[in-house]
Amino acid sequence: MPYTYTVTSRSSANPAAIFEALARAATWPSWSPIDAAEIEGGADPRDRQRAGDTRIFRTGRNVSRERIVELVDGRRFVYDNLGGPFRSYRGTVELTPAPDGGTEIVWRGVFEAKPRFTGRFWQWYLTRFMQRMADGLAAYAGNG
């Protein structure tokens, strides 16, 4: 059974600035709970990534691999988590210009948990974790 989460945040930055932070793995430890980021295959995480690139994120002792599925400049960033406690996991970050300036950030995910009966836990956890991600991204881009 698939589970979902949706979190929102608001940034004073324009969508292009927010998208640039999303598209460069090296920025993620600056605005999120992630400790370190690299690109599979040794590419420079400061460079702008493309669809098909796989990122490796470390948070404490946890390691996650995420493949970028779709990039629409200034509008959408889509990725799949590869492995971990999920059978499937797709995250989408949508950026919309706010009517009075800045950007609305909507970060959502749909996933199936690997261990049975853990979906509700992961939904609860991811909602809180991703809210921290969205708020951190909004503040980081807004201060740039």
Side-chain angles (χ1 to χ4, degrees):
M1 170 179 150
Y3 291 87
T4 63
Y5 65 84
T6 301
V7 299
T8 61
S9 195
R10 173 82 182 268
S11 179
S12 60
N14 65 43
I18 295 169
F19 188 84
E20 282 303 309
L22 284 167
R24 297 176 193 278
T27 71
W28 289 51
S30 299
W31 52 263
S32 76
I34 291 170
D35 296 326
E38 60 188 81
I39 308 300
E40 202 167 79
D44 190 337
R46 293 173 296 189
D47 291 341
R48 192 169 193 225
Q49 277 79 65
R50 299 179 303 247
D53 286 349
T54 299
R55 299 163 162 207
I56 302 165
F57 291 124
R58 299 180 196 292
T59 306
R61 293 186 294 157
N62 296 319
V63 177
S64 66
R65 292 176 61 239
E66 296 179 352
R67 179 169 297 126
I68 299 172
V69 175
E70 179 185 7
L71 297 171
V72 179
D73 278 354
R75 292 185 44 217
R76 185 180 313 113
F77 179 90
V78 182
Y79 62 97
D80 288 343
N81 184 292
L82 308 174
F86 308 107
R87 280 189 222 297
S88 64
Y89 178 109
R90 175 155 292 178
T92 302
V93 183
E94 298 277 352
L95 308 174
T96 307
D100 55 345
T103 304
E104 297 290 337
I105 301 168
V106 177
W107 198 315
R108 59 176 50 98
V110 59
F111 64 93
E112 288 188 53
K114 213 180 274 182
R116 291 183 67 186
F117 310 115
T118 62
R120 292 257 183 245
F121 165 77
W122 285 112
Q123 185 177 45
W124 171 84
Y125 177 82
L126 289 168
T127 298
R128 280 142 191 83
F129 188 86
M130 293 310 184
Q131 187 66 61
R132 288 175 59 201
M133 298 281 284
D135 291 344
L137 175 60
Y140 174 86
N143 291 328

